[in-house]
Amino acid sequence: MWQTLAVGAVLFPGLFAACVRSLGSIAPAWSLKERIVLSGRLVSSVQATMATLSGVIVILSCKDVVHDRHWIAREYIWIAMSYMVYDIYVMYLCHWHKSQEQGLADRKHSLASVQSFLRREKLMVTHHLFIIIVLTPVAVHFRGELGDFFVGCIYTAELSTPFVSLGKILMQLKMQDSLLHKVNGVLILVTFFLCRILLFPFMYWTYGRQVGLPTYRVPFHIPFHCNVANALLIAPQLYWFTLICRKAIRLYSRPPGPERAR
């Protein structure tokens, strides 16, 4: 536990610092804010790839979805927790630099800048804190020795993150009208729907198949707190998926750049 937590606590800040420094050499004309924002997105993609691969390994290894165990399901939660703490700080850092650029923040970090960040990013911060404060104890202690398969399923929810990050990076590079950006938009929609929305019915279906229940009866067969946890997890995903769909409609319905300029 402590070794894994230490690895995560060093890995993500270390990667972030290395990216910021490297971008200073690769793109010296970029501002510190631009380098910080891009570095945060690159590190986010690295973590998402690690989580997805961990989840796939666990899912393929657990034939019994309730009782089979895999060490990655138990250990990666500490990597994820250290990433969530790191990510809250990087989100604040990005927010502070953007606010400074717009003349909306003090020259030094202050309580007011923290409050501004929490107001703007309250859903994402709440999501991260929920994982740290609620899901981590549940995944490590309260579930006992059951459900590594379902923990692996939750890890794969990160599959869409590299595509989301790539979309933001392309916008940062002024490539929002490129074919790559439009193709990436389709991949965001597909991966987000499969691994953050359809994932939950899939978990109910796999459990029902093992115990011989139709999917619609599974919620009445499992502990109530499992349904509550799933509801709390899927609620923000549905909200974010709605936002992604709205952005996709705007992206694919607008005319090409030169026509818009006319």
Side-chain angles (χ1 to χ4, degrees):
M1 165 191 166
W2 294 112
Q3 296 91 333
T4 309
L5 193 60
V7 167
V10 172
L11 174 63
F12 299 118
L15 280 175
F16 176 75
C19 286
V20 173
R21 180 182 290 268
S22 298
L23 287 172
S25 302
I26 297 170
W30 282 20
S31 67
L32 178 59
K33 185 222 52 169
E34 291 173 318
R35 286 184 278 136
I36 285 174
V37 170
L38 181 56
S39 298
R41 289 165 181 165
L42 291 173
V43 176
S44 176
S45 297
V46 170
Q47 189 282 142
T49 302
M50 292 170 58
T52 301
L53 290 175
S54 298
V56 170
I57 291 171
V58 173
I59 290 170
L60 295 178
S61 301
C62 296
K63 305 305 178 185
D64 184 319
V65 302
V66 177
H67 299 98
D68 281 358
R69 308 299 310 279
H70 197 287
W71 65 271
I72 291 180
R74 300 186 299 278
E75 290 298 319
Y76 193 80
I77 189 65
W78 299 112
I79 297 287
M81 190 179 83
S82 62
Y83 171 77
M84 294 300 164
V85 174
Y86 147 86
D87 197 44
I88 290 174
Y89 172 71
V90 170
M91 285 193 297
Y92 164 73
L93 205 57
C94 292
H95 170 81
W96 184 76
H97 278 280
K98 288 178 182 177
S99 298
Q100 261 213 330
E101 195 173 74
Q102 298 166 1
L104 302 175
D106 299 330
R107 296 185 65 84
K108 294 183 179 181
H109 299 284
S110 64
L111 179 60
S113 62
V114 173
Q115 291 173 334
S116 172
F117 162 69
L118 292 176
R119 283 194 299 270
R120 183 175 179 82
E121 300 290 347
K122 58 184 176 182
L123 181 58
M124 188 65 76
V125 172
T126 300
H127 172 263
H128 282 30
L129 291 177
F130 179 76
I131 291 174
I132 296 169
I133 298 171
V134 179
L135 287 190
T136 298
V138 169
V140 174
H141 299 294
F142 299 130
R143 69 185 177 93
E145 298 186 353
L146 304 175
D148 280 13
F149 173 88
F150 301 109
V151 174
C153 288
I154 297 299
Y155 291 159
T156 63
E158 291 290 337
L159 178 61
S160 63
T161 300
F163 301 107
V164 173
S165 295
L166 177 58
K168 293 179 179 178
I169 289 170
L170 291 172
M171 292 180 68
Q172 188 175 345
L173 297 175
K174 311 299 183 186
M175 296 176 62
Q176 60 266 34
D177 291 322
S178 66
L179 177 61
L180 176 58
H181 188 253
K182 292 185 176 181
V183 171
N184 186 68
V186 174
L187 293 174
I188 291 173
L189 282 170
V190 172
T191 55
F192 199 101
F193 179 73
L194 289 177
C195 294
R196 294 200 178 218
I197 307 298
L198 203 60
L199 173 70
F200 293 92
F202 170 75
M203 290 193 292
Y204 281 85
W205 174 77
T206 54
Y207 178 83
R209 184 182 62 169
Q210 177 162 311
V211 301
L213 285 174
T215 304
Y216 72 89
R217 290 184 57 191
V218 170
F220 305 101
H221 189 267
I222 63 177
F224 177 72
H225 64 266
C226 293
N227 292 314
V228 172
N230 286 332
L232 291 173
L233 283 173
I234 198 174
Q237 313 306 329
L238 291 170
Y239 171 73
W240 286 321
F241 186 66
T242 301
L243 296 182
I244 291 172
C245 289
R246 289 176 181 172
K247 289 181 181 179
I249 291 171
R250 291 197 299 268
L251 174 65
Y252 296 109
S253 62
R254 68 187 182 186
E259 293 183 22
R260 290 203 311 276
R262 295 196 207 115

